[in-house]
Amino acid sequence: MKKSFSRSAGWIDRSLKSVWHPCTQMQHHETLPLVALKSGKGAWLFDQDGNRYLDAISSWWTNIFGHANPFISKALKDQLDTLEHAMLAGCTHEPVVELSERLSVLTGNTLGHCFYGSDGASAVEIALKMSFHYWKNSGHPEKQEFICLKNSYHGETIGALSVTDVTLFRDSYAPLIRNSNIVESPDSRHAKDGQTATDVANAAADKLEALLQEKSAKIAAIIVEPLIQCAAGFVMYDPLYLKRVRELCDRYKIHFIADEIAVGFGRTGTFFACEQAGIWPDMLCLSKAITGGFLPLSLVMTTDDVFNAFYDMDITRGFLHSHSYTGNPLACRAALATLDLFKNHNVIARNQTVSRQLSEALKPLEIHPRNKHFRNKGMIWAFDVDLETEKQATFPRRFFEKALQHELLMRPIGNTVYLMPPYILNGEEIGLLAHKTISVFEEMMKS
Ligand SMILES: *Cc1c(COP(=O)(O)O)cnc(C)c1O
């Protein structure tokens, strides 16, 4: 089923000359196909030649209701003719107010103040600056350091890289980056014989406590990806860890920043991943799926306590952070439509059925001898492929190419293959996705 890229070849050549593609060594595209997309509908993307691809990773985890979702599309068209954009300093508008209120209700009004940005990394930077400035305003200017987890990923701007522990993204820029305190990840794969995921979570939390005992006076916040460290290769862990972090943050007086940019919006089986631990952070970062993949938008939700520390007549005590498109009405409207879809279609409950069906269909992978740690949480599946050393470096690219030949858009991280499909898959698409993933994997194991 080798695809020919003949008609779209023109687009590909022009793209490779004029577009610098993200997270890519451009020279790899001398042999690796670039997909020249024309349109999308539901779970599928269509290229210039009329080939289709099931978007098995929701286009970098954003398109939870599929492409060209008609409901979000209609909401946007209405907003487009009303108010496309206005600055949010000194002005406000219905979409941004309604979105802030509705998200706040979803946290039981614990996180009642929303600060807006445009992408995930800027939300992370906002949270870090907010925590730092909170302590300064509260008479603790000495609290200047952050804690992040081993293999954490919080974005790729210079500030976000300071709490990102991914060598590949960090090392080239090391001299520019401020170091954070890196603590052990509660990665449940670390369980030794006789140990449970809960034991691993407790051991990791004990290590965090040891660090806090030593230097909490200097620490502003810990930032954590709740339940799953996605970019690290879908590291999953016991919710108990989040509970322990919450307790430790309270005891040692540091902020808890939850980065739900990847896991928020129902991905792990609850609307927010933190719900599974029964806790709320001091700051919650959201982006990616928030607009159903239609427009860039991010935000940080926070508590009255944090908000009040900035509330004053003195301008320098205010949170003087902004982006040009802060709170863009179109993006907020898309987010409101996304929330409507959750409510009107009982998405969290429906996903349980989809999750069960896809897990069942993926059974042959779960028991395959070349796979380790097959894991599933909500609408995420991942497994680690056992590879000869010399095949490791090129594995993601070769898998990507093979998947395209089977009408799948997939992008493994290292030797970890994952599925993070849109929630709207029907029965036939669930079967196709499982069947095609298994075929790609089996062919990869032969080559
Ligand atoms: C993607 C991601 C980010 C960064 O978001 P961008 O929009 O790519 O800047 C931050 N944190 C997590 C957990 C992410 O998955």
Side-chain angles (χ1 to χ4, degrees):
M1 246 218 293
K2 192 83 189 159
K3 301 284 180 197
S4 94
F5 290 91
S6 55
R7 270 200 296 142
S8 57
W11 285 107
I12 294 169
D13 284 349
R14 283 167 58 190
S15 191
L16 293 178
K17 285 202 189 89
S18 61
V19 182
W20 199 337
H21 290 267
C23 212
T24 296
Q25 170 48 270
M26 291 296 287
Q27 197 174 8
H28 288 162
H29 278 304
E30 285 182 7
T31 51
L32 188 71
L34 185 69
V35 191
L37 293 172
K38 182 164 188 190
S39 64
K41 193 168 177 22
W44 298 90
L45 288 164
F46 300 88
D47 71 12
Q48 298 282 348
D49 302 331
N51 299 306
R52 63 173 195 170
Y53 308 95
L54 202 160
D55 189 350
I57 53 174
S58 302
S59 281
W60 265 347
W61 325 341
T62 59
N63 273 87
I64 51 177
F65 294 116
H67 296 277
N69 181 284
F71 184 79
I72 303 175
S73 185
K74 164 103 182 32
L76 273 177
K77 285 172 190 155
D78 293 346
Q79 184 63 44
L80 202 50
D81 291 332
T82 313
L83 180 67
E84 81 301 336
H85 181 65
M87 59 194 256
L88 197 64
C91 303
T92 193
H93 49 78
E94 187 196 324
V96 78
V97 175
E98 210 189 313
L99 179 60
S100 308
E101 288 177 355
R102 283 176 65 179
L103 286 171
S104 163
V105 167
L106 290 172
T107 68
N109 295 316
T110 307
L111 303 170
H113 307 272
C114 291
F115 195 98
Y116 286 80
S118 314
D119 51 46
S122 61
V124 167
E125 305 236 351
I126 287 164
L128 297 177
K129 281 176 70 180
M130 201 179 260
S131 173
F132 173 88
H133 199 165
Y134 169 99
W135 292 116
K136 191 161 173 255
N137 281 352
S138 308
H140 290 287
E142 71 285 358
K143 286 169 90 67
Q144 299 186 353
E145 295 182 29
F146 296 102
I147 303 175
C148 64
L149 265 54
K150 183 110 197 79
N151 297 320
S152 55
Y153 177 91
H154 298 286
E156 292 159 54
T157 54
I158 289 171
L161 278 175
S162 73
V163 286
T164 287
D165 181 40
V166 179
T167 320
L168 192 61
F169 296 148
R170 242 189 99 101
D171 279 11
S172 303
Y173 314 100
L176 302 179
I177 301 167
R178 197 169 179 268
N179 286 322
S180 292
N181 300 276
I182 299 174
V183 291
E184 193 168 298
S185 159
D187 186 343
S188 55
R189 292 174 303 184
H190 293 162
K192 303 205 177 62
D193 284 346
Q195 265 192 329
T196 63
T198 311
D199 297 333
V200 177
N202 267 320
D206 290 344
K207 288 241 172 84
L208 170 62
E209 175 153 30
L211 176 73
L212 290 174
Q213 271 169 355
E214 183 198 326
K215 62 185 299 193
S216 65
K218 289 186 174 163
I219 308 276
I222 178 170
I223 183 163
V224 173
E225 296 156 84
L227 297 186
I228 308 177
Q229 295 179 283
C230 293
F234 296 86
V235 171
M236 301 192 181
Y237 62 85
D238 194 297
L240 176 81
Y241 183 73
L242 299 173
K243 231 176 132 85
R244 293 268 327 259
V245 171
R246 178 70 273 177
E247 286 160 12
L248 292 171
C249 287
D250 290 341
R251 185 161 347 128
Y252 290 92
K253 306 242 175 316
I254 68 167
H255 288 136
F256 184 172
I257 303 172
D259 176 352
E260 294 223 13
I261 289 167
V263 294
F265 290 83
R267 192 46 88 172
T268 66
T270 44
F271 190 83
F272 296 116
C274 281
E275 290 171 48
Q276 293 181 45
I279 56 111
W280 294 113
D282 299 290
M283 289 142 206
L284 179 71
C285 303
L286 296 173
S287 188
K288 288 208 164 96
I290 189 168
T291 62
F294 272 71
L295 286 166
L297 179 72
S298 69
L299 55 88
V300 177
M301 305 179 68
T302 193
T303 59
D304 289 343
D305 176 47
V306 171
F307 179 79
N308 289 336
F310 292 81
Y311 199 76
D312 198 279
M313 287 310 284
D314 177 358
I315 180 126
T316 64
R317 288 177 63 92
F319 191 53
L320 305 185
H321 185 102
S322 61
H323 297 280
S324 309
Y325 284 91
T326 294
N328 174 261
L330 285 167
C332 291
R333 181 58 70 196
L336 286 167
T338 300
L339 290 181
D340 286 341
L341 286 171
F342 270 95
K343 204 169 82 195
N344 301 344
H345 297 277
N346 214 357
V347 170
I348 301 287
R350 182 184 179 273
N351 277 358
Q352 287 179 4
T353 313
V354 178
S355 177
R356 249 195 326 271
Q357 287 169 344
L358 189 50
S359 291
E360 189 57 39
L362 288 170
K363 269 269 150 45
L365 283 179
E366 184 168 1
I367 56 177
H368 196 285
R370 294 283 296 277
N371 286 341
K372 285 180 300 188
H373 305 296
F374 184 96
R375 48 203 185 273
N376 159 240
K377 181 107 203 153
M379 289 294 288
I380 301 181
W381 292 259
F383 55 89
D384 307 334
V385 183
D386 199 3
L387 291 168
E388 294 95 343
T389 318
E390 68 277 13
K391 293 195 168 167
Q392 281 169 9
T394 57
F395 176 76
R397 300 202 296 277
R398 287 184 293 115
F399 195 100
F400 172 81
E401 185 169 8
K402 180 75 73 189
L404 288 180
Q405 290 164 12
H406 287 266
E407 300 186 316
L408 287 183
L409 185 69
M410 287 176 79
R411 236 181 108 97
I413 298 176
N415 69 331
T416 302
V417 175
Y418 74 95
L419 297 176
M420 212 156 156
Y423 303 163
I424 40 106
L425 298 177
N426 62 30
E428 190 194 335
E429 288 162 342
I430 292 169
L432 269 179
L433 175 55
H435 170 76
K436 285 171 182 291
T437 306
I438 294 164
S439 299
V440 174
F441 173 72
E442 282 176 347
E443 284 184 29
M444 287 296 293
M445 290 302 97
K446 279 190 219 129
S447 61

